[in-house]
Amino acid sequence: MASPRLLRTCLVAALSAVLVASAAIGPAQAEPPDVSAAAVTFSDSFDGPAGAAVDSSKWQIETGDNVNNHERQYYTSGNKNAALDGQGHLVITARRENPANYQCWYGTCQYTSARLNTSGKFTAQYGHVEARMKVPRGQGMWPAFWMLGTPVNWPDSGEIDIMENVGFEPSTVHGTIHGPGYSGSGGIGAGYSLPNGQAFADAFHTFAIDWAPDSITWSVDGNVYQRRTPADLGGRQWVFNKPFFLILNLAVGGYWPGDPNGSTVFPQQLVVDNVSVTTSDSAGGGAIRGLGGKCVDVAGASSANGTPVQLYDCNGSGAQQWTAGSDGTLRALGKCLDATGNGTANGTTVQLWDCSGGPNQRWTVTAARDIVNPQADKCLDVTGNNSANGTRLQIWTCSGGANQKWTVG
């Protein structure tokens, strides 16, 4: 959100360095390899009986109001405004009520709601962080999924807003970074809008970031819509190289969304299906090494659609840092490893492309160190068994050759 919050807490966001292994595909493959270097280190699918409070080993609940944003709600404790629904969801409910014991900066609060965090329970640096949620609707609603740097000294400690929605923009969500000299209304970010006037409140959507030492990339349902690097700050300080924590909340009113009006129907709910964080021991992802000890590399470190993926000397750059999505994708520079043109034939090249969730962007790693595209039932392959820098990668029938063997992480 656009200014510091009340009781700050820590949920780690982290980055997956290697492929998520699944069932073996291809000839003579056995169990998938140990992928402990790329693990879901935080996950909550909010299973439990209806009305139960959230898992206190993962989350704590903030209480109070928010003076800085001039919001209109009071965040309550326990399960009054944040509870499981018995169907695998967390429901954060905003209600119109103003009991006298809920005192806000301007007097008696007019609404109650909830805000959760994981301070002191889970922190990390870099990562793929995502939540699948359905936002509320109505003027004055302000749901958010976001992170703060530790120790909190806003704005110098930094803030990453993974998703914010304001009720007067039902089709748009925003992703933003805040730091010293670029905070509040000066935050740096962009919006993502659904096509054809669809509203985010109509269905669940997945909001995510991929966070590396020198970049943060935002996506909605796997569709990348912005990437920020130190070059975007105009010489100001990049403060996103330390542990951050994550927060879920539903605010009511404030400077940005404005107050609810007669059109706003209460109660309103932010429904969270799951939150997950995938981490690794290596900052910003992991290398994939193959023929001649060289690395899978995005040519020219370009994130443009259609950029060739090649073999190149390992150099530790972001163009060689690959992370695994929970959907089986393999990502670098905020985009996905893609079999060109949805091809399945031998010799189909691989490239970088916007993540679409298509079968040509899904990969598995086997115990034999093959990286397989299940749709084609073919292996990631170094063209011509040539270890020279710049050799294009392709898919080819799995043969067991050295040009199809990869060490992940």
Coordinates of all heavy atoms in Angstrom, one line a residue, residues 105-195:
W105 N -8.1 7.4 14.3 CA -7.5 8.7 14.3 C -8.4 9.9 14.3 O -8.2 10.9 14.8 CB -6.5 8.8 13.2 CG -7.2 8.8 11.8 CD1 -7.4 7.6 11.1 CD2 -7.7 9.9 11.0 NE1 -8.1 8.0 9.9 CE2 -8.2 9.3 9.9 CE3 -7.7 11.3 11.2 CZ2 -8.8 10.1 8.9 CZ3 -8.2 12.0 10.2 CH2 -8.8 11.5 9.1
Y106 N -9.6 9.7 13.7 CA -10.6 10.8 13.5 C -11.7 10.6 14.5 O -12.7 11.4 14.5 CB -11.2 10.8 12.1 CG -11.8 9.5 11.7 CD1 -13.1 9.2 12.0 CD2 -11.1 8.5 11.1 CE1 -13.7 8.0 11.6 CE2 -11.6 7.3 10.7 CZ -12.9 7.1 11.0 OH -13.5 5.9 10.7
G107 N -11.7 9.6 15.4 CA -12.8 9.4 16.4 C -13.2 8.0 16.4 O -12.3 7.1 16.5
T108 N -14.4 7.7 16.3 CA -14.9 6.3 16.3 C -14.9 5.7 14.9 O -15.4 6.3 13.9 CB -16.3 6.2 16.8 OG1 -16.4 6.7 18.2 CG2 -16.8 4.7 16.9
C109 N -14.2 4.6 14.7 CA -14.2 3.9 13.4 C -15.6 3.6 12.9 O -16.5 3.2 13.7 CB -13.3 2.7 13.4 SG -11.6 3.0 13.7
Q110 N -15.7 3.6 11.6 CA -17.0 3.3 11.0 C -17.1 1.8 10.5 O -18.2 1.3 10.1 CB -17.3 4.2 9.8 CG -17.4 5.7 10.3 CD -17.4 6.7 9.2 OE1 -16.4 6.7 8.4 NE2 -18.5 7.4 9.0
Y111 N -15.9 1.2 10.4 CA -15.8 -0.1 9.8 C -14.8 -1.0 10.6 O -13.9 -0.5 11.2 CB -15.4 -0.1 8.3 CG -16.2 0.9 7.5 CD1 -15.8 2.2 7.4 CD2 -17.4 0.5 6.9 CE1 -16.6 3.1 6.6 CE2 -18.2 1.4 6.1 CZ -17.8 2.7 6.0 OH -18.5 3.6 5.3
T112 N -15.0 -2.3 10.5 CA -14.0 -3.2 11.0 C -13.5 -4.1 9.8 O -14.2 -4.4 8.9 CB -14.5 -4.2 12.1 OG1 -15.6 -4.9 11.6 CG2 -15.0 -3.4 13.3
S113 N -12.3 -4.6 10.0 CA -11.7 -5.4 9.0 C -10.5 -6.2 9.6 O -10.4 -6.2 10.9 CB -11.2 -4.6 7.7 OG -10.9 -5.5 6.7
A114 N -9.6 -6.7 8.8 CA -8.5 -7.5 9.4 C -7.2 -7.3 8.5 O -7.3 -7.1 7.3 CB -8.8 -9.0 9.5
R115 N -6.1 -7.5 9.2 CA -4.8 -7.4 8.5 C -3.9 -8.5 9.2 O -3.8 -8.5 10.4 CB -4.2 -6.0 8.7 CG -2.9 -5.9 7.9 CD -2.5 -4.5 7.7 NE -1.3 -4.1 8.3 CZ -0.8 -2.8 8.3 NH1 -1.5 -1.9 7.6 NH2 0.3 -2.5 8.9
L116 N -3.2 -9.3 8.3 CA -2.4 -10.4 8.8 C -1.0 -10.2 8.3 O -0.7 -9.6 7.3 CB -2.9 -11.7 8.2 CG -4.2 -12.3 8.7 CD1 -5.4 -11.5 8.3 CD2 -4.4 -13.8 8.2
N117 N 0.0 -10.7 9.1 CA 1.4 -10.7 8.7 C 2.1 -11.9 9.4 O 1.5 -12.6 10.1 CB 2.0 -9.4 9.1 CG 2.0 -9.2 10.6 OD1 2.5 -10.0 11.4 ND2 1.3 -8.1 11.1
T118 N 3.3 -12.0 9.1 CA 4.1 -13.1 9.6 C 5.4 -12.7 10.3 O 6.4 -13.4 10.3 CB 4.4 -14.1 8.5 OG1 5.2 -13.5 7.6 CG2 3.2 -14.7 7.9
S119 N 5.3 -11.6 11.0 CA 6.5 -11.0 11.6 C 7.1 -12.0 12.6 O 6.4 -12.6 13.5 CB 6.1 -9.8 12.4 OG 7.2 -9.2 13.0
G120 N 8.4 -12.3 12.5 CA 9.1 -13.2 13.4 C 8.8 -14.6 13.2 O 9.3 -15.5 13.9
K121 N 8.0 -14.9 12.1 CA 7.6 -16.3 11.9 C 8.3 -16.8 10.6 O 8.6 -18.0 10.5 CB 6.1 -16.4 11.8 CG 5.4 -16.0 13.1 CD 3.9 -16.1 12.9 CE 3.2 -15.5 14.2 NZ 3.4 -16.5 15.3
F122 N 8.5 -15.9 9.6 CA 9.0 -16.4 8.3 C 9.6 -15.2 7.5 O 8.8 -14.3 7.3 CB 8.0 -17.1 7.6 CG 8.5 -17.7 6.3 CD1 9.6 -18.5 6.2 CD2 7.8 -17.5 5.1 CE1 10.0 -19.1 5.0 CE2 8.2 -18.0 3.9 CZ 9.3 -18.9 3.9
T123 N 10.8 -15.2 7.3 CA 11.4 -14.1 6.4 C 12.4 -14.7 5.5 O 13.0 -15.8 5.7 CB 12.2 -13.1 7.3 OG1 13.2 -13.7 8.0 CG2 11.2 -12.4 8.2
A124 N 12.6 -14.1 4.4 CA 13.7 -14.5 3.4 C 13.9 -13.3 2.5 O 13.3 -12.3 2.5 CB 13.2 -15.7 2.6
Q125 N 14.9 -13.6 1.6 CA 15.4 -12.6 0.7 C 15.3 -13.2 -0.7 O 16.0 -14.2 -1.0 CB 16.8 -12.2 1.1 CG 17.4 -11.0 0.3 CD 18.7 -10.6 0.9 OE1 18.9 -10.7 2.1 NE2 19.6 -10.1 0.0
Y126 N 14.6 -12.5 -1.6 CA 14.4 -12.9 -3.0 C 13.4 -14.1 -3.1 O 13.3 -14.8 -2.1 CB 15.7 -13.3 -3.7 CG 16.8 -12.3 -3.5 CD1 18.1 -12.7 -3.1 CD2 16.6 -11.0 -3.8 CE1 19.1 -11.8 -2.9 CE2 17.6 -10.0 -3.6 CZ 18.9 -10.4 -3.2 OH 19.9 -9.5 -3.0
G127 N 12.7 -14.2 -4.2 CA 11.8 -15.3 -4.4 C 10.7 -15.1 -5.3 O 10.4 -14.0 -5.8
H128 N 10.0 -16.2 -5.5 CA 8.7 -16.3 -6.2 C 7.6 -16.3 -5.1 O 7.5 -17.3 -4.4 CB 8.6 -17.5 -7.1 CG 7.3 -17.5 -7.9 ND1 7.0 -16.8 -9.0 CD2 6.1 -18.2 -7.6 CE1 5.8 -17.0 -9.4 NE2 5.2 -17.9 -8.6
V129 N 6.8 -15.3 -5.1 CA 5.8 -15.2 -4.0 C 4.5 -15.0 -4.8 O 4.4 -14.2 -5.7 CB 6.0 -13.9 -3.1 CG1 5.0 -13.9 -2.0 CG2 7.4 -13.9 -2.6
E130 N 3.5 -15.8 -4.4 CA 2.2 -15.7 -5.1 C 1.0 -15.9 -4.1 O 1.2 -16.6 -3.1 CB 2.1 -16.6 -6.3 CG 2.1 -18.1 -5.9 CD 1.8 -18.9 -7.2 OE1 2.5 -18.6 -8.2 OE2 1.1 -19.9 -7.1
A131 N -0.1 -15.4 -4.5 CA -1.4 -15.6 -3.8 C -2.5 -15.7 -4.8 O -2.5 -14.9 -5.7 CB -1.6 -14.6 -2.7
R132 N -3.4 -16.7 -4.6 CA -4.6 -16.8 -5.4 C -5.7 -16.2 -4.6 O -6.0 -16.7 -3.5 CB -4.8 -18.2 -5.8 CG -6.0 -18.4 -6.8 CD -6.1 -19.8 -7.3 NE -7.2 -20.0 -8.2 CZ -8.4 -20.4 -7.9 NH1 -8.6 -20.8 -6.6 NH2 -9.3 -20.6 -8.8
M133 N -6.4 -15.2 -5.1 CA -7.4 -14.5 -4.3 C -8.5 -14.0 -5.2 O -8.4 -13.8 -6.4 CB -6.7 -13.2 -3.7 CG -5.5 -13.5 -2.8 SD -4.9 -12.1 -2.0 CE -4.3 -11.1 -3.3
K134 N -9.6 -13.7 -4.6 CA -10.7 -13.0 -5.2 C -11.0 -11.7 -4.4 O -11.2 -11.8 -3.1 CB -12.0 -13.9 -5.2 CG -13.2 -13.2 -6.0 CD -14.3 -14.1 -6.4 CE -15.0 -14.7 -5.2 NZ -16.2 -15.5 -5.6
V135 N -10.9 -10.6 -5.0 CA -11.0 -9.3 -4.3 C -12.5 -8.9 -4.1 O -13.4 -9.4 -4.8 CB -10.2 -8.2 -5.1 CG1 -8.8 -8.6 -5.3 CG2 -10.9 -7.8 -6.4
P136 N -12.7 -8.0 -3.2 CA -14.1 -7.5 -3.0 C -14.4 -6.5 -4.1 O -13.6 -6.2 -4.9 CB -14.0 -6.8 -1.6 CG -12.6 -6.4 -1.5 CD -11.8 -7.4 -2.2
R137 N -15.6 -6.0 -4.0 CA -16.0 -4.9 -4.9 C -16.7 -3.8 -4.2 O -17.2 -3.9 -3.1 CB -16.9 -5.5 -6.0 CG -18.3 -5.9 -5.5 CD -19.2 -6.4 -6.7 NE -18.9 -7.7 -7.0 CZ -18.5 -8.1 -8.2 NH1 -18.4 -7.3 -9.2 NH2 -18.3 -9.4 -8.4
G138 N -16.6 -2.6 -4.8 CA -17.4 -1.5 -4.2 C -16.5 -0.3 -4.0 O -15.3 -0.4 -3.6
Q139 N -17.0 0.9 -4.1 CA -16.3 2.1 -3.8 C -15.8 2.1 -2.4 O -16.5 1.7 -1.4 CB -17.3 3.3 -4.0 CG -16.8 4.7 -3.4 CD -15.4 5.1 -4.1 OE1 -15.2 4.9 -5.2 NE2 -14.6 5.7 -3.3
G140 N -14.5 2.5 -2.2 CA -13.9 2.5 -0.9 C -13.1 1.3 -0.5 O -12.4 1.3 0.5
M141 N -13.3 0.2 -1.2 CA -12.6 -1.1 -0.9 C -11.1 -1.0 -1.4 O -10.8 -0.5 -2.4 CB -13.3 -2.3 -1.5 CG -14.7 -2.5 -1.0 SD -14.7 -2.9 0.8 CE -15.2 -1.4 1.5
W142 N -10.2 -1.5 -0.5 CA -8.8 -1.4 -0.8 C -8.1 -2.7 -0.3 O -7.4 -2.7 0.7 CB -8.2 -0.2 -0.1 CG -6.8 0.2 -0.5 CD1 -6.0 -0.4 -1.4 CD2 -6.1 1.3 0.1 NE1 -4.8 0.2 -1.5 CE2 -4.8 1.3 -0.6 CE3 -6.3 2.2 1.0 CZ2 -3.8 2.2 -0.2 CZ3 -5.3 3.2 1.3 CH2 -4.1 3.1 0.7
P143 N -8.2 -3.8 -1.0 CA -7.5 -5.0 -0.7 C -6.0 -4.9 -1.1 O -5.7 -4.3 -2.1 CB -8.2 -6.1 -1.5 CG -8.7 -5.4 -2.7 CD -9.1 -4.0 -2.2
A144 N -5.1 -5.6 -0.4 CA -3.7 -5.5 -0.8 C -3.0 -6.8 -0.3 O -3.3 -7.4 0.7 CB -3.0 -4.3 -0.1
F145 N -2.0 -7.1 -1.1 CA -1.1 -8.2 -0.9 C 0.3 -7.6 -1.1 O 0.6 -7.3 -2.2 CB -1.4 -9.4 -1.9 CG -0.4 -10.5 -1.9 CD1 0.1 -11.1 -0.7 CD2 0.0 -11.1 -3.1 CE1 0.9 -12.2 -0.7 CE2 0.9 -12.2 -3.1 CZ 1.3 -12.7 -1.9
W146 N 1.1 -7.5 0.0 CA 2.3 -6.6 -0.2 C 3.4 -7.0 0.8 O 3.2 -7.9 1.7 CB 1.9 -5.2 0.0 CG 1.1 -4.8 1.3 CD1 -0.1 -5.2 1.6 CD2 1.6 -4.0 2.4 NE1 -0.5 -4.7 2.8 CE2 0.5 -4.0 3.3 CE3 2.8 -3.4 2.6 CZ2 0.6 -3.3 4.5 CZ3 2.9 -2.6 3.8 CH2 1.8 -2.6 4.7
M147 N 4.5 -6.4 0.8 CA 5.7 -6.7 1.6 C 6.4 -5.5 2.1 O 6.4 -4.4 1.5 CB 6.7 -7.5 0.7 CG 6.1 -8.8 0.1 SD 7.2 -9.4 -1.2 CE 8.6 -10.0 -0.2
L148 N 7.0 -5.6 3.3 CA 7.9 -4.6 3.8 C 9.2 -5.1 4.2 O 9.4 -6.3 4.6 CB 7.2 -4.0 5.1 CG 6.1 -3.0 4.9 CD1 5.4 -2.7 6.3 CD2 6.5 -1.8 4.2
G149 N 10.3 -4.3 4.0 CA 11.6 -4.6 4.4 C 11.8 -4.6 5.9 O 11.2 -3.8 6.6
T150 N 12.8 -5.4 6.3 CA 13.1 -5.4 7.8 C 14.5 -5.0 8.0 O 15.4 -5.2 7.2 CB 12.9 -6.8 8.3 OG1 13.8 -7.7 7.6 CG2 11.5 -7.3 8.2
P151 N 14.8 -4.3 9.2 CA 13.8 -3.8 10.1 C 13.0 -2.6 9.5 O 13.6 -1.9 8.6 CB 14.6 -3.3 11.3 CG 16.0 -3.0 10.7 CD 16.2 -4.0 9.6
V152 N 11.8 -2.4 9.9 CA 10.9 -1.5 9.2 C 11.3 -0.1 9.6 O 11.4 0.3 10.8 CB 9.4 -1.7 9.6 CG1 8.6 -0.6 9.0 CG2 9.0 -3.1 9.1
N153 N 11.6 0.7 8.6 CA 11.9 2.2 8.8 C 11.4 2.8 7.5 O 12.3 3.3 6.7 CB 13.4 2.4 9.0 CG 13.7 3.9 9.2 OD1 12.8 4.7 9.6 ND2 14.9 4.3 8.8
W154 N 10.1 2.8 7.3 CA 9.5 3.3 6.0 C 9.8 4.7 5.8 O 9.7 5.5 6.7 CB 8.0 3.0 6.1 CG 7.4 3.0 4.7 CD1 7.2 1.9 3.9 CD2 6.8 4.1 4.1 NE1 6.6 2.3 2.8 CE2 6.3 3.6 2.8 CE3 6.7 5.4 4.4 CZ2 5.7 4.5 1.9 CZ3 6.1 6.3 3.5 CH2 5.6 5.8 2.3
P155 N 10.1 5.2 4.6 CA 10.2 4.3 3.3 C 11.6 3.8 3.1 O 11.8 3.1 2.1 CB 9.8 5.3 2.3 CG 10.4 6.6 2.7 CD 10.2 6.6 4.2
D156 N 12.6 4.1 3.9 CA 14.0 3.7 3.7 C 14.1 2.2 3.6 O 15.0 1.7 2.9 CB 14.9 4.3 4.7 CG 15.0 5.8 4.6 OD1 14.5 6.4 3.6 OD2 15.7 6.4 5.5
S157 N 13.3 1.5 4.3 CA 13.5 0.0 4.4 C 12.8 -0.6 3.2 O 13.0 -1.8 3.0 CB 12.9 -0.5 5.7 OG 11.6 0.0 5.9
G158 N 11.9 0.1 2.5 CA 11.4 -0.4 1.2 C 10.0 -1.1 1.4 O 9.7 -1.6 2.5
E159 N 9.3 -1.1 0.3 CA 8.0 -1.7 0.3 C 7.7 -2.3 -1.1 O 8.1 -1.6 -2.1 CB 6.9 -0.7 0.6 CG 5.4 -1.2 0.5 CD 4.4 -0.2 0.9 OE1 4.7 0.6 1.8 OE2 3.3 -0.2 0.3
I160 N 7.2 -3.5 -1.2 CA 6.9 -4.1 -2.5 C 5.4 -4.4 -2.5 O 4.9 -5.2 -1.7 CB 7.6 -5.4 -2.8 CG1 9.1 -5.1 -2.8 CG2 7.2 -5.9 -4.2 CD1 10.0 -6.4 -2.8
D161 N 4.6 -3.7 -3.3 CA 3.1 -4.0 -3.4 C 2.9 -5.0 -4.5 O 3.1 -4.6 -5.7 CB 2.4 -2.7 -3.7 CG 2.5 -1.7 -2.5 OD1 2.6 -2.2 -1.4 OD2 2.6 -0.5 -2.8
I162 N 2.6 -6.2 -4.2 CA 2.4 -7.3 -5.2 C 1.1 -7.0 -5.9 O 1.0 -7.2 -7.1 CB 2.5 -8.6 -4.5 CG1 3.8 -8.8 -3.8 CG2 2.2 -9.8 -5.6 CD1 3.9 -10.1 -3.0
M163 N 0.0 -6.7 -5.1 CA -1.3 -6.4 -5.7 C -2.0 -5.4 -4.8 O -2.1 -5.6 -3.6 CB -2.1 -7.7 -5.8 CG -3.5 -7.6 -6.5 SD -4.8 -6.7 -5.6 CE -5.0 -7.8 -4.2
E164 N -2.5 -4.4 -5.4 CA -3.5 -3.5 -4.8 C -4.6 -3.2 -5.8 O -4.4 -3.1 -7.0 CB -2.8 -2.2 -4.4 CG -1.8 -2.2 -3.3 CD -1.3 -0.8 -3.0 OE1 -0.4 -0.3 -3.7 OE2 -1.8 -0.3 -2.0
N165 N -5.8 -3.2 -5.2 CA -7.0 -2.8 -6.0 C -7.8 -1.8 -5.3 O -7.9 -1.9 -4.0 CB -7.8 -4.0 -6.3 CG -9.2 -3.7 -6.9 OD1 -10.2 -3.8 -6.2 ND2 -9.2 -3.4 -8.2
V166 N -8.2 -0.8 -6.0 CA -9.1 0.2 -5.4 C -10.5 0.1 -6.1 O -10.6 -0.1 -7.3 CB -8.6 1.6 -5.5 CG1 -7.5 1.8 -4.5 CG2 -8.1 2.0 -6.9
G167 N -11.6 0.2 -5.2 CA -12.9 -0.2 -5.7 C -13.4 0.6 -6.9 O -14.2 0.0 -7.7
F168 N -12.9 1.8 -7.2 CA -13.4 2.5 -8.3 C -12.7 2.1 -9.6 O -13.0 2.6 -10.7 CB -13.2 4.0 -8.1 CG -11.8 4.5 -7.9 CD1 -10.9 4.7 -9.0 CD2 -11.3 4.8 -6.7 CE1 -9.6 5.2 -8.8 CE2 -10.0 5.3 -6.5 CZ -9.2 5.5 -7.5
E169 N -11.8 1.1 -9.5 CA -11.1 0.5 -10.7 C -11.3 -1.0 -10.7 O -10.4 -1.8 -10.4 CB -9.6 0.8 -10.7 CG -9.3 2.3 -10.9 CD -7.8 2.5 -11.0 OE1 -7.0 1.8 -10.3 OE2 -7.4 3.4 -11.7
P170 N -12.5 -1.5 -10.9 CA -12.8 -2.9 -10.7 C -12.1 -3.8 -11.7 O -11.9 -5.0 -11.3 CB -14.3 -3.0 -11.0 CG -14.7 -1.8 -11.8 CD -13.7 -0.7 -11.3
S171 N -11.6 -3.3 -12.8 CA -10.9 -4.2 -13.7 C -9.4 -4.1 -13.7 O -8.7 -4.7 -14.5 CB -11.3 -3.8 -15.2 OG -12.7 -3.9 -15.3
T172 N -8.8 -3.3 -12.7 CA -7.4 -3.0 -12.7 C -6.8 -3.3 -11.3 O -7.4 -3.0 -10.3 CB -7.1 -1.5 -13.1 OG1 -7.7 -1.3 -14.3 CG2 -5.6 -1.2 -13.1
V173 N -5.6 -3.9 -11.3 CA -4.8 -4.0 -10.1 C -3.4 -3.3 -10.4 O -3.0 -3.1 -11.5 CB -4.5 -5.5 -9.7 CG1 -5.8 -6.1 -9.3 CG2 -3.8 -6.3 -10.8
H174 N -2.7 -3.0 -9.3 CA -1.5 -2.2 -9.4 C -0.4 -3.0 -8.6 O -0.6 -3.6 -7.6 CB -1.7 -0.8 -8.7 CG -2.7 0.0 -9.4 ND1 -2.3 0.9 -10.4 CD2 -4.0 0.1 -9.3 CE1 -3.4 1.5 -10.8 NE2 -4.5 1.0 -10.2
G175 N 0.8 -2.9 -9.2 CA 2.1 -3.3 -8.5 C 3.0 -2.2 -8.4 O 3.2 -1.5 -9.4
T176 N 3.6 -2.0 -7.3 CA 4.4 -0.8 -7.0 C 5.6 -1.1 -6.1 O 5.5 -1.9 -5.2 CB 3.5 0.3 -6.4 OG1 2.3 0.4 -7.1 CG2 4.2 1.7 -6.4
I177 N 6.7 -0.3 -6.2 CA 7.7 -0.3 -5.2 C 7.8 1.1 -4.6 O 7.6 2.1 -5.3 CB 9.1 -0.8 -5.8 CG1 9.5 0.0 -7.1 CG2 9.1 -2.2 -6.1 CD1 10.9 -0.3 -7.6
H178 N 8.2 1.1 -3.3 CA 8.4 2.4 -2.6 C 9.8 2.3 -1.9 O 10.1 1.2 -1.4 CB 7.3 2.6 -1.6 CG 5.9 2.6 -2.1 ND1 5.3 3.8 -2.5 CD2 5.0 1.6 -2.3 CE1 4.1 3.5 -2.9 NE2 3.9 2.2 -2.8
G179 N 10.5 3.4 -1.9 CA 11.7 3.5 -1.2 C 12.1 4.9 -0.9 O 11.3 5.8 -1.2
P180 N 13.3 5.2 -0.5 CA 13.7 6.5 -0.2 C 13.7 7.4 -1.5 O 14.4 7.1 -2.4 CB 15.1 6.4 0.4 CG 15.6 5.0 -0.1 CD 14.4 4.2 -0.2
G181 N 12.9 8.4 -1.4 CA 12.8 9.3 -2.6 C 11.7 8.9 -3.6 O 11.5 9.6 -4.6
Y182 N 11.1 7.7 -3.4 CA 10.1 7.3 -4.3 C 9.0 6.5 -3.6 O 8.7 5.4 -3.8 CB 10.6 6.4 -5.5 CG 11.5 5.3 -5.1 CD1 11.1 4.0 -5.0 CD2 12.9 5.5 -4.7 CE1 11.9 2.9 -4.7 CE2 13.7 4.4 -4.4 CZ 13.2 3.2 -4.3 OH 14.0 2.1 -4.0
S183 N 8.4 7.3 -2.6 CA 7.4 6.7 -1.7 C 6.0 7.3 -1.9 O 5.9 8.4 -2.6 CB 7.8 6.7 -0.3 OG 8.0 8.1 0.1
G184 N 5.0 6.7 -1.3 CA 3.7 7.3 -1.4 C 3.2 7.5 -2.8 O 3.4 6.5 -3.6
S185 N 2.7 8.6 -3.2 CA 2.3 8.9 -4.5 C 3.4 8.9 -5.5 O 3.2 8.8 -6.7 CB 1.5 10.2 -4.6 OG 2.3 11.3 -4.3
G186 N 4.7 8.9 -5.0 CA 5.8 8.9 -5.9 C 6.3 7.5 -6.1 O 7.4 7.3 -6.7
G187 N 5.6 6.4 -5.7 CA 6.0 5.1 -5.9 C 6.1 4.7 -7.4 O 5.4 5.4 -8.2
I188 N 6.9 3.8 -7.7 CA 7.2 3.4 -9.1 C 6.5 2.1 -9.4 O 6.7 1.1 -8.7 CB 8.7 3.2 -9.4 CG1 9.4 4.6 -9.1 CG2 9.0 2.7 -10.8 CD1 10.9 4.5 -9.1
G189 N 5.6 2.1 -10.3 CA 4.8 0.9 -10.6 C 4.0 1.0 -11.9 O 4.2 1.9 -12.7
A190 N 3.1 0.0 -12.0 CA 2.2 0.0 -13.2 C 0.9 -0.8 -12.8 O 0.9 -1.4 -11.8 CB 2.9 -0.7 -14.4
G191 N -0.1 -0.7 -13.7 CA -1.3 -1.4 -13.5 C -1.5 -2.5 -14.5 O -0.9 -2.5 -15.6
Y192 N -2.4 -3.4 -14.2 CA -2.7 -4.5 -15.1 C -4.2 -4.6 -15.1 O -4.9 -4.6 -14.1 CB -2.2 -5.8 -14.6 CG -2.6 -7.0 -15.5 CD1 -1.8 -7.4 -16.6 CD2 -3.7 -7.7 -15.2 CE1 -2.2 -8.5 -17.4 CE2 -4.1 -8.8 -15.9 CZ -3.4 -9.2 -17.0 OH -3.7 -10.3 -17.8
S193 N -4.8 -4.5 -16.4 CA -6.3 -4.5 -16.5 C -6.7 -5.8 -17.2 O -6.1 -6.2 -18.2 CB -6.7 -3.3 -17.3 OG -6.4 -2.1 -16.5
L194 N -7.9 -6.3 -16.8 CA -8.5 -7.4 -17.4 C -9.2 -6.9 -18.7 O -9.6 -5.8 -18.8 CB -9.5 -8.1 -16.5 CG -9.0 -8.8 -15.3 CD1 -10.1 -9.2 -14.4 CD2 -8.2 -10.0 -15.7
P195 N -9.3 -7.8 -19.7 CA -9.9 -7.4 -21.0 C -11.4 -7.3 -20.9 O -12.0 -8.0 -20.0 CB -9.4 -8.4 -22.0 CG -9.2 -9.7 -21.1 CD -8.7 -9.1 -19.8

